[in-house]
Amino acid sequence: MKRVAIVVGAVALLVTGLFVATNAYAANLLSNPGFESGNLSGWSCTGSGSGAVTSPVHSGSYALNGNATASDNAQCTQTVTVQPNTAYTLSGWVKGNYVYIGVTGGASTWTPAASAYTKLTVPFTTGAGQTSVQVFLHGWYGTGAYNADDISLDGPGTPPTTTPPTSPTTPNTSPSPSKSPSKSPSSSPSTSPSTSQPPVTGLPKHALIGYMHASFANGSGYIRMADIPAAWDVIDLAFGEPTSVTSGDIRFNRCSVSECPNVESDADFLAAIKAKQAQGKKVLLSIGGQNGEVQLTTAAARDTFVSSVSAIIDRWGLDGLDVDFEGHSLYLNAGDSDFRNPTTPVIVNLISALKTLKAKYGTKFVLTMAPETFFVQLGYQFYGGTSNGDNRAGSFLPVIYAVRDFLTILHVQDYNSGPIWGLDGQYHTMGGADFHIAMTDMLKAGFPVANTGQTFPGLRPDQIGIGVPAAVSAGNGYVAPAVVQSAVTCLVKGTGCGSYTLRGGTSPAFRGLMTWSINWDRYYNWEFMNAQEPFLNALP
């Protein structure tokens, strides 16, 4: 989930009364923005062969040539100093297929095909206390080289006078990269469906699921628990975050009055949770998100995770847990190629922790997961480092497999994603019903895991939901409610599927829709809720 969402413009911000500093703009804050040094000075770039070239250029004498390959998206990053609570605009001219520009951990945009230099623009607002940002450019795995020129970060600050420090070159995970397959995979994999029975959780057959910004406002404003409409069946409190990446010590801090002036008292928050539960709603603690990287590298961290999460659940009387691990929380060590028997500590310890929590809270414990496509469906093409790729690819698969008998809902984020290879032997991209159909069908049908010789078995349909942004400001990949409904209709009834053939068959027990977020939906006058709740209720 993305705590920092796409900014919708000064007009929208004024409507909500959100104050953003509007200091006079300084000169471009980036060093070597047009690569006129003739090299990559000021930038930290991956990709063998990436560098400054004399043609094609947008202006001046040089431009960036990013050499994206099957195993590297040729990402270039630069970190600059900024001011808190301030509006900035990142822009640049790009050329090539699938070229991205954005802010690490924040807003981004992309073009699928630019045969000539095309300008991309990303407005964003820094958070409270934020003093630096990392901007990035990258291409796409297996889609060839790209060019970029005249990159600009405009806003108040001090333009660089010397080369700024470079930053780590870990790949950007929003959107999550997918990579070209080395061969065309089978379009009809054999599957071994789950035979476990649905847990007793009290959820409706088709549920509306949303995240509440419980510990921050994020530009959309704070919404009190008592003011969340009854349409929402599952409310995920975002977020529980660790005291450090490897501590396992999870803390849930409610939004401060300075950031959320209308935040309710702890007593009122607790009373509202109990009132929701009395109505049959489920309230969960969501752990991770964009900023909450959690690596359970040791048994001690695992045990601390269990005890700290239990303390939060008990403190607020919650119904369970949502695992929203992103970034580098999960990965697979070299040689760990069997998702059924993982050996990487961060995987093994997370599985053990979830099983311990399930045993502690019993049959009514609600467990949901919201991974990005990179960590699930990309495992069809690439799994860990087995294909000389990113060792995080498909890394949620062993966790899902291990807890499949008590996993309540897997609602993969069908947004902030690059193209993903589907069971029909085609790439599927965001922007239409086809993407949701193909991604969800993979979860129902199951699929071979890259080149491991193993098949990930499909889940029960009641365990499967679709995750979508509530509005254009909530994440890349937003589509109108009618498009989402078209996808669900195909999955549930088998009609309106276009050219796609369901490999997993129809799913009348399909669980429902998850959105990031309830706050953004309220900001946009409840467009998502008003369209999707009656639609879900009308499904068979």
Side-chain angles (χ1 to χ4, degrees):
M1 302 301 170
K2 297 304 169 192
R3 174 173 296 190
V4 180
I6 300 170
V7 176
V8 295
V11 174
L13 293 175
L14 288 173
V15 168
T16 59
L18 176 66
F19 174 75
V20 176
T22 56
N23 308 53
Y25 276 11
N28 189 352
L29 301 181
L30 296 175
S31 174
N32 196 19
F35 304 92
E36 293 304 305
S37 65
N39 55 39
L40 299 179
S41 173
W43 297 89
S44 180
C45 298
T46 67
S48 175
S50 294
V53 295
T54 57
S55 179
V57 300
H58 175 255
S59 71
S61 301
Y62 293 93
L64 169 68
N65 182 83
N67 186 33
T69 66
S71 60
D72 195 294
N73 66 355
Q75 176 170 264
C76 289
T77 61
Q78 186 172 144
T79 300
V80 297
T81 300
V82 293
Q83 297 180 10
N85 292 321
T86 303
Y88 289 84
T89 300
L90 173 67
S91 64
W93 293 84
V94 301
K95 180 179 182 292
N97 295 326
Y98 295 103
V99 188
Y100 295 76
I101 183 172
V103 179
T104 300
S108 64
T109 190
W110 61 293
T111 176
S115 58
Y117 271 105
T118 301
K119 188 175 185 180
L120 298 178
T121 301
V122 181
F124 66 96
T125 302
T126 53
Q130 184 175 4
T131 58
S132 68
V133 296
Q134 182 188 73
V135 301
F136 67 81
L137 297 158
H138 66 73
W140 212 255
Y141 292 87
T143 58
Y146 72 92
N147 298 107
D149 202 358
D150 298 326
I151 314 303
S152 176
L153 178 60
D154 289 329
T158 304
T161 56
T162 60
T163 301
T166 57
S167 53
T169 58
T170 52
N172 173 54
T173 60
S174 173
S176 301
S178 65
K179 309 164 192 175
S180 296
S182 57
K183 61 181 180 179
S184 298
S186 166
S187 61
S188 56
S190 60
T191 62
S192 177
S194 171
T195 58
S196 64
Q197 297 300 310
V200 180
T201 57
L203 289 171
K205 183 176 182 181
H206 305 298
L208 192 69
I209 305 156
Y211 287 76
M212 171 193 180
H213 305 178
S215 55
F216 54 92
N218 195 32
S220 61
Y222 182 81
I223 181 170
R224 295 161 62 97
M225 176 65 73
D227 296 332
I228 295 177
W232 299 94
D233 300 301
V234 179
I235 301 167
D236 293 311
L237 304 180
F239 288 107
E241 299 180 353
T243 55
S244 68
V245 173
T246 59
S247 70
D249 188 4
I250 305 300
R251 304 296 174 89
F252 173 62
N253 298 312
R254 301 194 55 231
C255 193
S256 65
V257 174
S258 60
E259 185 178 359
C260 303
N262 61 322
V263 66
E264 67 270 60
S265 67
D266 284 357
D268 287 345
F269 186 67
L270 180 58
I273 290 174
K274 293 183 179 299
K276 292 291 182 188
Q277 293 168 327
Q279 298 170 2
K281 312 304 178 183
K282 306 299 177 183
V283 184
L284 313 181
L285 171 68
S286 181
I287 295 179
Q290 170 193 301
N291 296 338
E293 189 170 301
V294 181
Q295 294 179 353
L296 304 182
T297 55
T298 64
R302 175 201 64 197
D303 295 344
T304 300
F305 180 89
V306 170
S307 61
S308 61
V309 169
S310 297
I312 297 169
I313 290 175
D314 295 344
R315 165 70 176 86
W316 300 105
L318 305 179
D319 297 286
L321 183 65
D322 173 71
V323 181
D324 185 12
F325 283 14
E326 300 180 14
H328 292 263
S329 291
L330 297 183
Y331 54 85
L332 293 154
N333 287 342
D336 190 353
S337 60
D338 184 352
F339 74 87
R340 301 163 303 180
N341 299 286
T343 58
T344 305
V346 295
I347 303 289
V348 174
N349 289 330
L350 175 60
I351 292 170
S352 175
L354 295 177
K355 288 183 175 180
T356 301
L357 289 167
K358 168 64 176 177
K360 174 180 175 67
Y361 290 104
T363 58
K364 294 185 178 181
F365 181 69
V366 178
L367 175 64
T368 65
M369 295 182 180
E372 296 164 294
T373 56
F374 182 91
F375 299 100
V376 184
Q377 288 93 336
L378 183 59
Y380 184 21
Q381 301 167 253
F382 294 91
Y383 184 66
T386 60
S387 303
N388 297 319
D390 193 313
N391 70 344
R392 298 170 298 156
S395 57
F396 246 94
L397 293 179
V399 181
I400 298 167
Y401 180 79
V403 302
R404 61 190 292 106
D405 287 343
F406 63 91
L407 175 62
T408 312
I409 312 172
L410 173 68
H411 33 60
V412 174
Q413 298 179 38
D414 281 5
Y415 49 97
N416 296 326
S417 172
I420 299 289
W421 194 257
L423 298 180
D424 57 351
Q426 303 292 325
Y427 275 120
H428 296 271
T429 59
M430 299 184 302
D434 170 80
F435 187 73
H436 301 302
I437 293 169
M439 294 302 99
T440 310
D441 189 40
M442 293 179 76
L443 303 179
K444 170 74 180 301
F447 51 86
V449 178
N451 59 352
T452 65
Q454 303 153 8
T455 296
F456 178 77
L459 296 171
R460 301 187 314 264
D462 69 275
Q463 293 178 298
I464 300 172
I466 296 176
V468 296
V472 294
S473 298
N476 290 320
Y478 168 80
V479 293
V483 177
V484 177
Q485 293 173 8
S486 176
V488 174
T489 299
C490 166
L491 293 163
V492 171
K493 301 179 180 180
T495 59
C497 298
S499 62
Y500 189 90
T501 300
L502 294 174
R503 272 67 180 174
T506 57
S507 302
F510 168 79
R511 180 60 76 180
L513 295 171
M514 173 275 281
T515 193
W516 177 261
S517 64
I518 295 173
N519 300 61
W520 278 117
D521 195 33
R522 191 273 303 270
Y523 186 92
Y524 281 85
N525 298 315
W526 303 112
E527 176 192 73
F528 183 87
M529 180 190 73
N530 288 338
Q532 305 302 5
E533 188 214 13
F535 168 75
L536 290 173
N537 290 342
L539 290 175

